Amino acid sequence: MAEDRGSPWRRAAVWVAMCGGWLPAPALAQATDLAPACKPVDAPTVRADPQACRRRYLLQGVRESDLQTLYRAADAKRSGGDLDGAGDALDCAQAVAGAAAGWPTDYELVRRRGVLDYYRECTAEALTRFRRALHLAQRHEDRAAEAKSWNNVGSALRRLGDYRGALQAFLASLRVQRDARDPALGPVLNNIADIYRDLGDTGNAERHYQQALSEFRRIGNKIEAAHVLQSLGALALEAGDPAGAERLLEQALAGYVEGGERTYQLRLHAELARVALARDDAVKARRWSERGLALAVAAGARPPAPLQLQAARAARLLGEPRAALVRVKDALAQLPAQDSDRPALLAELAADHEALGEWPQALAALRESENAARRLREARYDREMKWMQLRFETAERDRTIAALAAENRLRAASLRQRTLALWLTAVSAVAAVLGLIVFFLRRQQRARLAEAARQARLAEEVDYYRRAAADLGVDRTRLQAALDSREDAVLILDAGGQVVAANRSAGRLLGQTGGADGALPGRALGELLDEPAAAALAQALARLEESSAPQRFEFRPRDGERLQARLSETGQGEGSVVLGLQPLAAEAAAADPAPAPIEVEHDAGDEEMRSSFRRALVELMLAVVEAWERSTGQGRLELAEKSRIWRVTVDDGRLRARAMERYLSLAKLPRQPRWRDVLRSGYYVLAECPLEEAVRSELQRHVDAVLTYTRRHALV
């Protein structure tokens, strides 16, 4: 049966223990005071103002790294039961340390927050912080901090009911301290003895208590030596040796008296009274309890509940149940609702009522005692279940890690086997590796050469496409020579209305120099006309694209006489337009002379060949538009604008490339198609667009198909 310790014992013992860096697990294992709600470990803490913290704790002259004053303030508030104030002090310590604090400060703040969670009964959260502190100490190889953290971890595990894990943690702390030749082995030995005592291993518990006692006596710590003697006395009483227990407890009392420790003496008097009652010596039990009560009055302290309990038992056994009843009620009135001493006091209250013959009150007190004990068990069960949940989650993570580690071991074993095989065939393996390296390098070289050749071929193809597109254009020198030999006024326009060539007669009618060296070629004809004439020219060009029939209109150039114009296609398939001009006179208008079209005779072939040619043109134009849209993400209107091959007009407020759209359908294809412009469009996309290889090959196939027809019938 575990030793019965209550809140006063816990507060006194833990304060001393925290200063030394260890948690007294026996004193804390059964602490069940009502605590505030536990916050998650990773919950953000409130940032404190460093200046306000200095003013609050009178730290005006303290250095940024000097945090001991704040640590002492936190310890004082915690020992006084002000847990929130202790948390505020730690927040101030963190603010004063700042972001540039080193790992020792981080370690101490994490560990102290864990101790605070331990006091708040947030044991799982405390355990998480203790393990973080342990990780920091291990990473920086601080053996003293590591031993302290292992001890804290063991205390938290013991409270959670994981005695095996707690024992392993305490043994790890002991091992680290011994490796570091730390002389302060007493606390951890005492904790190990407590664990063995909880596990029912009396032999190991007594052996470690004796070792702890020797360590405390060696360093002259009389208080802790007396504490160990008290634990040995309780162990002897549990083993059925009240005489030996009384002897050990009296030795512990002498140690407390010599060390001037009054708080522990109160609990020890309760233990001595309990031993006397175990020996059926109620008189001696009363004597010990009265001495303890007198000591509490002299110290101005409230008598602890166990001392009140033993005094009440002694009074009842000596025939004073009413006095015992009053004492128990007084003790219960001063206890918190969740104090661990409450069930025993309620049970004594039931016995007192029974001794007085008050059976209903005795039954009610007994029921309340059972309820209080049940609540304590449930609280302990909740803690253990929470810990089991954490252990399960940790076990799942460990299982995953173990599976990965096993897989890594298998891979490592396989790697070792392969390494052994490689050593057995070292010469051949080296040769094979060298061969693979040479092969890989040659393959890379061939790939680079192939890529360079592909880029060179692509550059040659682009240059060829551009030259081919230029060759398909109108030979301006040839046209200019042909036009200059004519007497009538003639201009050659492209699909956009720009002057490609003009003879001198046309230049004179338009008020320009004309000729090969004149100002007309290269200019837009609409710039030389007034607004109505330019609109008439645009309408005529649009109608010509729709019907391919000659278009007539009249206009007056700027500073010139009124002229009659006739638009017609050249008949060469290159998309050029012949514009014939003559002054508007009655006799000229009646005769309606028109310049002869500039044509080059060609063999059109039979009707089947002509249909195939027209179908090939439509397929090429469709392939051009598709390749353009896939490579650039733009539409056919942008193709017409950027290539400057097809005319863009405004139709009902919308821009349209009507001429190009006629080449996307066999039904709309002109009678005499401008196959040169179709080929130029294909060459433009091949030269200017980043095409995929499959798309480029398909487009080139359609271009070759059209070229086959043109070459077969000498159209080029």
Side-chain angles (χ1 to χ4, degrees):
M1 179 175 178
E3 184 180 356
D4 184 20
R5 297 186 174 94
S7 301
W9 170 263
R10 187 184 71 248
R11 286 196 295 269
V14 175
W15 183 82
V16 175
M18 289 298 98
C19 294
W22 61 279
L23 289 171
L28 292 169
Q30 299 180 14
T32 56
D33 290 348
L34 187 62
C38 302
K39 293 194 301 183
V41 174
D42 296 325
T45 57
V46 178
R47 287 191 172 275
D49 181 12
Q51 298 302 326
C53 288
R54 289 189 177 91
R55 289 193 299 270
R56 181 177 179 182
Y57 294 100
L58 303 178
L59 299 175
Q60 287 83 355
V62 76
R63 298 190 306 273
E64 291 289 331
S65 59
D66 189 1
L67 305 176
Q68 299 305 316
T69 301
L70 288 168
Y71 292 158
R72 287 193 293 271
D75 292 340
K77 288 182 178 295
R78 188 181 65 242
S79 63
D82 185 5
L83 302 184
D84 292 335
D88 293 340
L90 291 180
D91 290 340
C92 282
Q94 187 168 2
V96 170
W103 80 265
T105 302
D106 294 339
Y107 163 82
E108 193 62 29
L109 286 171
V110 170
R111 194 188 69 83
R112 286 178 176 271
R113 290 189 187 277
V115 173
L116 194 59
D117 285 339
Y118 195 89
Y119 270 86
R120 287 172 171 158
E121 303 297 330
C122 302
T123 313
E125 290 75 8
L127 178 61
T128 301
R129 295 189 191 276
F130 290 152
R131 283 178 169 167
R132 287 187 179 179
L134 175 62
H135 176 70
L136 282 172
Q138 289 176 334
R139 188 172 64 186
H140 294 88
E141 299 181 355
D142 189 326
R143 308 297 284 174
E146 182 180 349
K148 186 186 299 183
S149 297
W150 273 121
N151 203 41
N152 294 155
V153 168
S155 298
L157 289 174
R158 185 186 178 192
R159 174 183 282 186
L160 290 169
D162 186 1
Y163 296 115
R164 301 291 181 183
L167 180 60
Q168 292 176 0
F170 288 138
L171 290 175
S173 177
L174 180 63
R175 182 171 58 254
V176 172
Q177 285 181 283
R178 283 175 173 170
D179 292 343
R181 300 185 182 277
D182 190 342
L185 299 178
V188 68
L189 287 169
N190 186 72
N191 283 343
I192 293 173
D194 288 339
I195 290 292
Y196 278 124
R197 177 181 164 189
D198 291 337
L199 293 173
D201 191 348
T202 307
N204 270 323
E206 184 176 0
R207 181 167 58 86
H208 283 84
Y209 278 138
Q210 293 294 343
Q211 293 178 8
L213 180 62
S214 299
E215 288 293 328
F216 286 131
R217 285 175 173 173
R218 182 177 60 81
I219 62 177
N221 193 332
K222 297 179 180 180
I223 302 297
E224 294 303 329
H227 172 66
V228 176
L229 286 171
Q230 183 178 355
S231 298
L232 284 170
L235 190 64
L237 182 60
E238 292 169 5
D241 183 11
E246 185 176 17
R247 184 179 64 257
L248 290 169
L249 291 175
E250 288 177 349
Q251 293 177 16
L253 179 60
Y256 286 147
V257 172
E258 186 178 357
E261 175 51 55
R262 292 190 175 185
T263 304
Y264 290 175
Q265 290 184 46
L266 299 179
R267 292 298 297 245
L268 190 55
H269 279 83
E271 290 294 314
L272 286 166
R274 186 162 71 98
V275 171
L277 290 175
R279 302 181 69 179
D280 296 328
D281 191 348
V283 175
K284 193 172 185 178
R286 166 173 278 185
R287 186 168 61 251
W288 281 118
S289 59
E290 288 179 349
R291 288 176 60 181
L293 292 172
L295 185 63
V297 172
R302 179 171 61 89
L307 184 58
Q308 297 271 50
L309 175 63
Q310 301 306 326
R313 285 177 178 174
R316 177 173 53 82
L317 292 175
L318 291 174
E320 301 174 3
R322 182 64 62 182
L325 183 67
V326 172
R327 184 173 296 279
V328 170
K329 287 184 176 180
D330 179 64
L332 285 171
Q334 299 178 13
L335 280 184
Q338 298 295 325
D339 195 278
S340 59
D341 292 322
R342 195 172 186 84
L345 286 171
L346 288 170
E348 177 59 26
L349 181 65
D352 295 337
H353 280 299
E354 181 183 1
L356 292 170
E358 299 173 351
W359 301 105
Q361 293 87 340
L363 182 59
L366 188 60
R367 286 176 178 173
E368 190 176 353
S369 173
E370 289 298 324
N371 290 334
R374 178 179 53 79
R375 287 193 295 270
L376 289 176
R377 289 193 300 271
E378 289 176 352
R380 183 186 183 99
Y381 176 77
D382 290 342
R383 290 196 302 271
E384 292 179 355
M385 285 301 298
K386 187 174 183 180
W387 167 236
M388 291 297 293
Q389 180 182 358
L390 290 174
R391 287 187 62 184
F392 174 75
E393 294 174 355
T394 304
E396 285 298 308
R397 289 195 297 268
D398 292 343
R399 184 187 61 79
T400 303
I401 293 173
L404 293 175
E407 184 178 355
N408 288 335
R409 287 195 297 271
L410 290 176
R411 291 181 178 178
S414 177
L415 180 61
R416 287 194 297 271
Q417 291 178 355
R418 289 197 298 270
T419 303
L420 180 60
L422 288 174
W423 277 109
L424 294 176
T425 57
V427 176
S428 59
V430 170
V433 169
L434 291 176
L436 288 174
I437 292 175
V438 172
F439 171 76
F440 180 72
L441 292 176
R442 290 188 62 183
R443 183 176 180 180
Q444 283 190 327
Q445 181 66 17
R446 286 196 298 269
R448 286 194 294 268
L449 292 176
E451 179 63 20
R454 191 185 70 82
Q455 293 293 340
R457 286 196 304 271
L458 182 60
E460 290 178 359
E461 289 178 0
V462 170
D463 184 62
Y464 165 75
Y465 295 143
R466 289 174 178 168
R467 285 188 282 104
D471 292 342
L472 285 174
V474 178
D475 190 341
R476 297 189 179 186
T477 303
R478 178 172 59 85
L479 285 176
Q480 191 64 53
L483 293 181
D484 285 341
S485 64
R486 300 178 60 143
E487 294 296 332
D488 52 346
V490 181
L491 299 91
I492 303 298
L493 308 178
D494 63 9
Q498 190 175 20
V499 178
V500 177
N503 61 7
R504 294 181 178 85
S505 299
R508 284 194 298 272
L509 290 178
L510 294 175
Q512 302 293 325
T513 304
D517 299 327
L520 279 175
R523 297 182 61 183
L525 183 59
E527 297 176 357
L528 307 176
L529 309 177
D530 56 14
E531 186 174 348
L537 175 62
Q539 291 176 1
L541 287 172
R543 289 195 298 270
L544 185 63
E545 290 178 351
E546 291 291 335
S547 65
S548 298
Q551 303 294 322
R552 293 181 176 84
F553 65 96
E554 298 176 2
F555 68 94
R556 181 188 301 277
R558 297 171 183 172
D559 301 330
E561 59 180 323
R562 190 170 183 80
L563 302 176
Q564 181 180 13
R566 181 179 186 275
L567 282 175
S568 62
E569 294 183 345
T570 61
Q572 300 298 313
E574 72 280 358
S576 299
V577 178
V578 178
L579 177 62
L581 301 176
Q582 64 180 358
L584 184 61
E587 62 275 16
D592 190 20
I598 302 175
E599 296 183 354
V600 178
E601 293 184 0
H602 60 276
D603 184 8
D606 55 17
E607 187 63 27
E608 182 180 357
M609 190 64 66
R610 179 178 179 84
S611 299
S612 300
F613 177 59
R614 291 169 64 84
R615 187 164 49 254
L617 284 176
V618 172
E619 292 175 354
L620 173 57
M621 198 64 210
L622 289 171
V624 167
V625 172
E626 182 182 1
W628 168 266
E629 291 176 347
R630 289 181 61 180
S631 62
T632 65
Q634 299 176 348
R636 60 189 68 174
L637 187 62
E638 287 80 1
L639 172 61
E641 289 178 342
K642 294 184 178 181
S643 66
R644 300 184 63 84
I645 298 173
W646 304 97
R647 177 178 176 81
V648 178
T649 60
V650 179
D651 187 1
D652 293 334
R654 294 187 302 128
L655 294 176
R656 294 189 61 182
R658 299 177 63 88
M660 185 176 69
E661 291 174 358
R662 295 177 62 192
Y663 287 82
L664 300 176
S665 172
L666 192 61
K668 296 181 181 180
L669 190 68
R671 185 178 56 83
Q672 291 185 349
R674 290 154 44 184
W675 57 270
R676 291 176 182 270
D677 287 348
V678 177
L679 278 176
R680 288 174 62 199
S681 300
Y683 287 140
Y684 175 79
V685 172
L686 285 169
E688 306 300 335
C689 297
L691 303 176
E692 298 178 0
E693 194 62 34
V695 176
R696 179 179 294 276
S697 300
E698 180 66 15
L699 184 55
Q700 182 63 56
R701 184 179 67 80
H702 287 291
V703 169
D704 292 340
V706 173
L707 286 175
T708 300
Y709 286 110
T710 59
R711 290 168 182 163
R712 184 179 302 172
H713 297 283
L715 294 176
V716 180

